[in-house]
Structures are given as structure tokens and as C-alpha cells.
Amino acid sequence: MKNIVLFGPPGAGKGTQAEFLKEKYQLVHISTGDVFRYNIKNNTDLGALAKSYMDKGHLVPDEVTINMLNAEVEKNPKANGFIFDGFPRTEAQAIALATLMETKNSQINAMVALEVDDEVLVGRLLERGKVSGRADDANEAVIRERIAEYYRKTDVLKEFYQKQDKYYGVDGVGSIEEITERLSNVIDKL
Ligand code: AMP
């Protein structure tokens, strides 16, 4: 099993790259943001709760997010491995993920991080907001709050995985194909 955390701030290109990598490596792609948006669209209680945080650019509480992620993993007992996109975003989530992988006699093999400057991120997200239909992409203040939340709670995970020798930084600026190639060069060596 190859389990990869695709990491990076909002707008780094995680979702775009995960679409290519899941095909290439036959992995199950789990995006916690996508699962929350699916729940919002279907008017579930989880969706209503998640929306109240997402609209402000804040993280959904750990307990809710971890339970949801566990359930998504359990839905795929035959998976060859996973690409986690947008999870973990806090240290508590990273610990929960390690515990979950242990119950499968597996582990996270690598955190592969897309590195992009903040101002490039803001520009990309504003552009995406014109077509994505995402409320949290439509407003520059919310975009900046998401990036601030990343530095408050998520950026520390770089160190968390570095300590385990599992952190790989990749330049996230370039064409989609170039970036897929940079990521593949890391994943092929795992
Ligand atoms: P994303 O699609 O990954 O940009 O996520 C959109 C929003 O969903 C985030 O701004 C958070 O409000 C929420 N979200 C997604 N993943 C997580 C997570 N792992 N922990 C907490 N909140 C999350």
C-alpha cells in the first residue's frame, strides 16, 4: 500500500494534481473539502455544520473531520493505497491518521508538499472563484483567512513529517504537466 498526503496551502494545486496521480498510481483519492461540499449540496447535518466554518475560511473541528475521514477510508477496504488531499490539516488529524493506518497494518509513506508563494495563491484562488462556484473562493477576505488558518494550524505538519523523514517539498509553480512530473519523481522513489 502506498499512502500519500498531498499537502500545501489553499490554491497550491492539490486537487488538480490528485486527479492525475490517482489514475497514474491507482490510488483512492480522498479530499475532505470535496466530502464536505458533497454534504452541503445534499443538505446533511454534517454539511450544515461544515458550511458554518467553511464560509468563514476556518477549519471544521477536528473530531468531526477525523470521524468523517475514518468513514471514507473504511468505505474502501480493497484500496491499493490513498491520496489524502486536504487532510491532515492539524497535528491532531495527523496523529489520528497515523493511528488509522496502523489499524490497516499500513502507514503514511510520504507527505508531498506543493510550495507556492502566498500572493500567487491569492491570485489563483480569485481566478478559480470566477468559475468554481465555491463561496470560499469568491471573497478575498475569506481567501486570506484560509491562508492565515493554514499558517496557524497546518504549516506545523511540515515539521511533523520531516521528523519522520517523510517530507518532500515540490515547486508548485509551472504547468500542470511539469508539476505532475515533479510529484511523480518523488512518488516513484517511495
Ligand atoms: P479545501 O477544498 O481542501 O480547500 O477545503 C475547503 C474547506 O473545507 C476548508 O477551508 C475547511 O473549512 C474545510 N476542510 C477541508 N478539509 C479540512 C480538514 N482536514 N480539517 C478541517 N477543515 C477542513
Side-chain angles (χ1 to χ4, degrees):
M1 233 177 157
K2 231 179 221 189
N3 300 303
I4 293 159
V5 172
L6 193 55
F7 191 68
K14 300 185 294 291
T16 304
Q17 291 299 330
E19 289 301 319
F20 290 101
L21 298 174
K22 74 170 184 191
E23 294 298 331
K24 188 164 179 186
Y25 297 98
Q26 293 295 300
L27 301 171
V28 173
H29 170 210
I30 300 181
S31 155
T32 41
D34 284 351
V35 181
F36 286 137
R37 281 185 288 277
Y38 177 85
N39 276 275
I40 293 172
K41 210 168 114 201
N42 289 286
N43 293 312
T44 68
D45 290 346
L46 173 63
L49 179 97
K51 188 175 181 338
S52 66
Y53 292 92
M54 290 165 79
D55 283 353
K56 295 191 194 89
H58 293 157
L59 293 187
V60 177
D62 279 337
E63 197 189 336
V64 176
T65 307
I66 290 167
N67 287 339
M68 183 193 86
L69 188 278
N70 285 355
E72 290 298 314
V73 168
E74 297 302 343
K75 281 183 197 166
N76 294 280
K78 298 212 172 88
N80 191 25
F82 293 90
I83 301 184
F84 297 102
D85 156 11
F87 186 96
R89 266 178 153 103
T90 64
E91 199 155 339
Q93 293 180 15
I95 292 166
L97 182 59
T99 306
L100 177 66
M101 290 292 113
E102 265 172 39
T103 68
K104 317 252 162 257
N105 291 320
S106 192
Q107 59 164 335
I108 294 298
N109 299 94
M111 165 182 267
V112 193
L114 291 166
E115 297 172 340
V116 181
D117 282 344
D118 291 354
E119 288 312 308
V120 176
L121 296 172
V122 175
R124 281 187 186 179
L125 289 169
L126 283 169
E127 274 306 303
R128 186 170 83 183
K130 293 178 189 164
V131 292
S132 72
R134 280 179 56 168
D136 60 349
D137 285 345
N139 177 317
E140 183 166 342
V142 174
I143 289 175
R144 290 197 181 274
E145 186 58 22
R146 285 159 65 200
I147 295 173
E149 189 82 329
Y150 172 85
Y151 284 107
R152 279 194 291 265
K153 299 179 180 165
T154 309
D155 191 51
V156 289
L157 294 184
K158 180 174 171 177
E159 210 182 304
F160 181 92
Y161 287 97
Q162 266 171 345
K163 280 189 194 144
Q164 304 174 42
D165 277 333
K166 289 182 179 173
Y167 180 88
Y168 301 86
V170 164
D171 179 4
V173 179
S175 71
I176 291 176
E177 297 76 19
E178 277 165 354
I179 298 167
T180 308
E181 200 182 321
R182 287 174 203 152
L183 293 169
S184 301
N185 285 339
V186 173
I187 297 169
D188 287 339
K189 290 191 192 104
L190 295 175

